[in-house]
């Protein structure tokens, strides 16, 4: 059974930074392409960033490009999302996702496993 556990969310002011972490257990992280999604109140879940198995390829939603950075450490079975210059519109529950398919890196295709999410609140 594969489990994804996110951490690092919290309440910050606009302009601040946060680093989210996702620890994967049950199978080696290297088997999966990974992504971060988010869901704001009253809105659909949306793709934020994706990363390939090796970490060599990354993709970002236009809304976070230049501010967020996704990375992974397969030895630690962990994926990270560094979020800088946070805005009020970044407020959402952030979910870690894993898939054997590369499509997840661009936010398309099916997700094999989801975490339960971590809440990020940005006050303006």
């Amino acid at each position: 059974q594969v489990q994804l556990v996110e951490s690092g969310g919290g309440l910050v002011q606009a302009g601040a930074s946060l680093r989210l972490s996702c620890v994967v257990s049950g199978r080696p992280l290297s088997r999966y392409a990974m992504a971060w999604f988010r869901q704001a109140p009253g809105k659909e879940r949306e793709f934020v960033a994706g990363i390939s198995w090796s970490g060599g390829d990354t993709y970002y939603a236009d809304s976070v490009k230049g501010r967020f950075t996704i990375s992974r450490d397969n030895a630690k079975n962990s994926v990270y999302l560094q979020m800088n210059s946070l805005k009020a519109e970044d407020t959402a529950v952030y979910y870690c996702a894993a898939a054997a398919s590369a499509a997840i890196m661009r936010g398309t295709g099916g997700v094999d496993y989801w975490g339960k999410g971590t809440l990020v609140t940005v006050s303006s």
Side-chain angles (χ1 to χ4, degrees), residues 55-76:
D57 294 301
T58 57
Y59 302 89
Y60 298 93
D62 288 342
S63 59
V64 306
K65 202 170 293 183
R67 300 188 298 122
F68 290 10
T69 303
I70 187 171
S71 61
R72 65 191 293 161
D73 186 338
N74 288 344
K76 295 183 178 180

Side-chain angles (χ1 to χ4, degrees), residues 3 6-7 9 13 16-18 37 44 66 78 82 91 94 102 111:
Q3 290 188 322
E6 304 95 334
S7 62
Q13 291 188 331
S17 298
L18 276 177
F37 290 78
E44 294 187 353
S78 295
Q82 177 67 43
T91 294
Y94 284 71
V111 172

Side-chain angles (χ1 to χ4, degrees), residues 2 27-34 52-53 72 98-100 112-113:
V2 177
R27 287 186 181 173
L29 179 64
S30 58
R31 293 191 179 191
Y32 301 100
M34 301 294 295
S52 62
W53 297 265
R72 65 191 293 161
D112 294 332
Y113 303 101

Side-chain angles (χ1 to χ4, degrees), residues 43-107:
K43 295 187 177 181
E44 294 187 353
R45 191 172 298 189
E46 64 175 2
F47 170 77
V48 175
I51 190 166
S52 62
W53 297 265
S54 66
D57 294 301
T58 57
Y59 302 89
Y60 298 93
D62 288 342
S63 59
V64 306
K65 202 170 293 183
R67 300 188 298 122
F68 290 10
T69 303
I70 187 171
S71 61
R72 65 191 293 161
D73 186 338
N74 288 344
K76 295 183 178 180
N77 267 12
S78 295
V79 180
Y80 309 99
L81 186 68
Q82 177 67 43
M83 305 186 295
N84 299 329
S85 303
L86 283 162
K87 306 175 181 180
E89 51 263 43
D90 294 319
T91 294
V93 177
Y94 284 71
Y95 297 90
C96 181
S101 169
I104 192 179
M105 294 192 296
R106 297 180 182 270

